[in-house]
Amino acid sequence: MKGTLLIAGTIYILLLVAFTMLTKTKEKDSKSYFLAGANLGSILGLFTFAATLFSTFTLLGMPEFFRTHGVGAWIFLAVSDLVMVFILLWIGYHLRKKTRGQAYLGMAGFMEKCYESRLAGIVAFLGAFIFLIPYVAIQIRGVATFLQGASENGLPLWVYAVGMVVIMLIYSEIGGLKAIIYSDTLQGILLLIIIWMIGISCLNKLGGLTSTFEQINAQNEALLSIPGPKGLLNFQFLFGSMVAICMIPFTQPQVSTRLIIMKNERSLFRTAIGLGTFAILVILPTLFIGMYGAIKYADASIPEFQAQSLIHDQAGYLGAFMIIGLVAAAISTADSQIFALGGETRSLLKGEDKSMVKIARIGIFIFAGLALIFALKTSDQLVLLARSSFMGTALLAPMIFTGIFYERANRIITLPWLTLGAIIIFILTELDVTPKTFLAVRADLILLGVLGLYALISVMSDKRRA
Amino acid sequence: MNSSKLWTLCRIVVFIMVILIFSPLVIPVGKADPFLLGMPYTLWMGFLVSLILLALTIIGSFVHPGRDE
């Protein structure tokens, strides 16, 4: 395995270097650096969307989620992603229409314009910052923990984490979004091929699909339906997750930026179809790996299950490819998120473009540093932490949608304040300071519902006044 | 039927699908039967729903009124 890992790893690094050199430009203005020239075709669009969305959370988190909570995890992620793709087509078109002719640099700047309020921009930035940093951190930690568990060289966790952040910073700082998009294409293809190789291998080891579920049925029947053995996948969890996931293209800047920079509507629509197909293809093998884990490693710890099923139980070359795939998955998502936070910073800054780009680039280093610190402190519950990140950013949705759909959003200046309040309450809930449920309803659903209702009533009453 | 009406129809069908996803038709609590091709009910129903949603996205992309903008 070591030989394969060395060769494949070298090829991977060389390709990243090649993409960085190819996309390196001396002139770094906001449009070329943060928006890659805003002329993205459907093929590159598909892979950069896919590599940004499907990450360590999918590769490491989803097999574990299937192993622990059973087949209902398909509804949690795959079905939610398919609804998200349709919404990308629907609301993505309106977002592009609204930003057409504007110098869009980030959602924060766009919100500032829509509401004619600095606060709206700051709330959009804060929401992205607070909930994306932990998300970036779990990518880094997930893979660092995995690498530590899979290798037997005794290196501490932080060495792997720092290594990934340094690679990511080098190519994104030099080549900007264009370098990230090219590397995403490589990483998206790698991710898909490798996860299928491992998935098929696991399925074969269990004797095929029918045999797999017969064994699960005999061992732990609760895995075959919702809410799963631990009762997590109930209506509220699944519904809340779907709502949060559907909001990602608009509330998470690394995705909304890609939506804006598509060449035209046709490219966006083709990308949406490709993304839906990619979602099914990338999540399906994680089901096989998860079921394999449920049978073979039902009582193992998370790192033990991951190291055994993804590396040690596989042929040497497969284990090596898996390590490369995981590093690629983590880097491709984390770099996009950190870079998007840089873009959001730029969209809020006013002044001479070159100087503002420089400040935003320094911001990228700071965000990466914060994510690294968080990665070393956070827990191993990848999927649940990712869901908190999705839900946290989803709280921005009523404010963003009002900005997109209502021409006179500037008259509803209370909405950004209310959104800020909801974000604070949500954080308190996550920290167990305030209760997670109220009258048996999840607090995150209540917050989102109140914000949505308030936005709707505000728009209707403003229309009536006008 | 013109493309605008077809697009509206697509959105309505997706809305109905979302309601059905959270009904016992797709996610019955604690029920694994009937199996199809060896897969438990919620899983194969989940696959079916995913494919229908993908088909609606494909149709939607062709009938979307802003396709040529």
Side-chain angles (χ1 to χ4, degrees):
Chain A
M1 182 173 107
K2 276 184 184 164
T4 317
L5 184 61
L6 198 70
I7 295 167
T10 310
I11 293 172
Y12 170 65
I13 297 284
L14 284 176
L15 282 170
L16 282 186
V17 171
F19 289 145
T20 309
M21 292 299 122
L22 204 73
T23 51
K24 185 182 169 188
T25 49
K26 277 187 182 168
E27 287 298 313
K28 285 187 170 64
D29 59 84
S30 293
K31 196 178 174 188
S32 65
Y33 189 67
F34 284 112
L35 301 177
N39 193 25
L40 192 61
S42 47
I43 303 288
L44 282 177
L46 161 64
F47 284 108
T48 189
F49 264 97
T52 301
L53 282 170
F54 301 105
S55 52
T56 321
F57 148 68
T58 316
L59 288 196
L60 283 180
M62 282 312 288
E64 166 54 24
F65 213 60
F66 275 114
R67 177 180 79 125
T68 313
H69 303 290
V71 297
W74 181 268
I75 307 287
F76 159 71
L77 192 66
V79 173
S80 297
D81 277 338
L82 267 301
V83 178
M84 179 202 76
V85 162
F86 187 85
I87 290 178
L88 181 71
L89 197 78
W90 178 6
I91 299 175
Y93 164 77
H94 290 282
L95 174 62
R96 285 173 57 84
K97 199 173 168 186
K98 181 89 187 240
T99 57
R100 211 172 287 160
Q102 287 188 24
Y104 181 96
L105 290 172
M107 191 55 83
F110 177 59
M111 284 297 107
E112 189 177 328
K113 277 181 204 154
C114 290
Y115 285 86
E116 293 173 12
S117 151
R118 188 82 174 147
L119 178 81
I122 291 170
V123 171
F125 174 79
L126 267 182
F129 172 76
I130 292 169
F131 298 112
L132 281 192
I133 292 290
Y135 192 17
V136 176
I138 58 172
Q139 313 293 326
I140 298 167
R141 186 184 177 89
V143 175
T145 310
F146 176 80
L147 291 176
Q148 194 188 27
S151 62
E152 282 134 14
N153 55 21
L155 282 175
L157 189 87
W158 67 266
V159 173
Y160 297 105
V162 170
M164 277 190 292
V165 172
V166 168
I167 294 175
M168 178 179 99
L169 276 177
I170 290 174
Y171 75 78
S172 56
E173 273 289 322
I174 296 173
L177 186 58
K178 207 173 262 180
I180 293 177
I181 288 170
Y182 278 100
S183 59
D184 276 353
T185 304
L186 165 72
Q187 289 164 155
I189 294 168
L190 263 177
L191 196 146
L192 194 60
I193 294 172
I194 293 167
I195 198 71
W196 264 100
M197 286 163 86
I198 303 276
I200 287 174
S201 158
C202 286
L203 199 61
N204 285 339
K205 282 178 203 287
L206 294 173
L209 204 59
T210 307
S211 161
T212 299
F213 289 111
E214 275 169 6
Q215 291 174 64
I216 295 276
N217 203 10
Q219 200 169 309
N220 189 355
E221 201 189 345
L223 286 167
L224 299 181
S225 59
I226 68 137
K230 294 189 175 178
L232 179 75
L233 303 179
N234 56 22
F235 164 76
Q236 283 194 41
F237 181 89
L238 292 173
F239 180 70
S241 304
M242 181 182 281
V243 172
I245 288 169
C246 288
M247 301 298 119
I248 288 176
F250 315 100
T251 57
Q252 298 214 346
Q254 77 279 13
V255 188
S256 52
T257 302
R258 282 160 173 75
L259 199 162
I260 297 289
I261 64 173
M262 295 301 299
K263 196 179 350 181
N264 50 36
E265 264 52 35
R266 271 185 192 227
S267 303
L268 174 68
F269 294 174
R270 282 191 203 123
T271 296
I273 296 168
L275 196 60
T277 314
F278 196 99
I280 294 174
L281 289 179
V282 84
I283 299 168
L284 188 55
T286 68
L287 162 77
F288 304 150
I289 303 167
M291 293 299 108
Y292 176 81
I295 294 165
K296 301 267 184 192
Y297 302 105
D299 300 318
S301 68
I302 297 174
E304 228 172 58
F305 153 63
Q306 288 168 341
Q308 287 299 330
S309 59
L310 299 174
I311 303 286
H312 301 309
D313 291 358
Q314 308 301 333
Y317 73 96
L318 263 185
F321 284 136
M322 188 65 200
I323 290 173
I324 304 288
L326 276 168
V327 173
I331 288 180
S332 62
T333 303
D335 64 357
S336 302
Q337 289 167 328
I338 291 288
F339 197 80
L341 285 175
E344 292 300 300
T345 309
R346 170 64 194 98
S347 76
L348 283 177
L349 296 173
K350 287 179 178 66
E352 195 253 327
D353 191 48
K354 268 190 179 174
S355 313
M356 298 304 110
V357 171
K358 268 185 195 159
I359 296 171
R361 288 175 71 190
I362 294 168
I364 292 173
F365 273 99
I366 297 169
F367 299 137
L370 288 172
L372 188 58
I373 294 167
F374 204 91
L376 302 175
K377 303 276 175 201
T378 193
S379 89
D380 292 329
Q381 293 295 327
L382 294 184
V383 174
L384 293 178
L385 274 168
R387 188 196 179 276
S388 292
S389 166
F390 299 160
M391 201 63 199
T393 50
L395 294 175
L396 297 169
M399 183 181 86
I400 291 173
F401 285 180
T402 306
I404 295 172
F405 286 105
Y406 193 48
E407 283 303 321
R408 293 191 300 271
N410 58 336
R411 290 158 64 115
I412 310 174
I413 52 163
T414 43
L415 189 55
W417 281 108
L418 203 66
T419 306
L420 183 62
I423 288 172
I424 293 168
I425 297 172
F426 180 74
I427 293 167
L428 293 175
T429 309
E430 290 296 298
L431 296 173
D432 287 326
V433 178
T434 51
K436 281 205 180 339
T437 57
F438 185 72
L439 295 174
V441 182
R442 289 179 69 100
D444 48 16
L445 278 179
I446 296 175
L447 289 171
L448 194 59
V450 168
L451 283 174
L453 208 61
Y454 182 80
L456 203 65
I457 292 169
S458 302
V459 169
M460 280 162 60
S461 62
D462 189 69
K463 272 186 177 172
R464 205 172 299 147
R465 274 201 304 272
Chain B
M1 201 182 276
N2 63 26
S3 66
S4 179
K5 280 185 182 164
L6 283 169
W7 170 237
T8 306
L9 188 66
C10 271
R11 285 182 291 174
I12 292 169
V13 176
V14 169
F15 183 73
I16 294 167
M17 288 294 297
V18 170
I19 295 170
L20 290 178
I21 288 164
F22 295 105
S23 73
L25 184 73
V26 178
I27 48 168
V29 176
K31 192 170 167 262
D33 292 323
F35 282 74
L36 182 73
L37 303 170
M39 293 181 285
Y41 182 77
T42 296
L43 186 62
W44 66 257
M45 200 50 154
F47 285 159
L48 187 65
V49 166
S50 304
L51 292 175
I52 294 172
L53 286 168
L54 182 62
L56 285 165
T57 305
I58 295 169
I59 296 167
S61 75
F62 282 106
V63 299
H64 195 291
R67 180 176 161 80
D68 293 320
E69 285 179 23

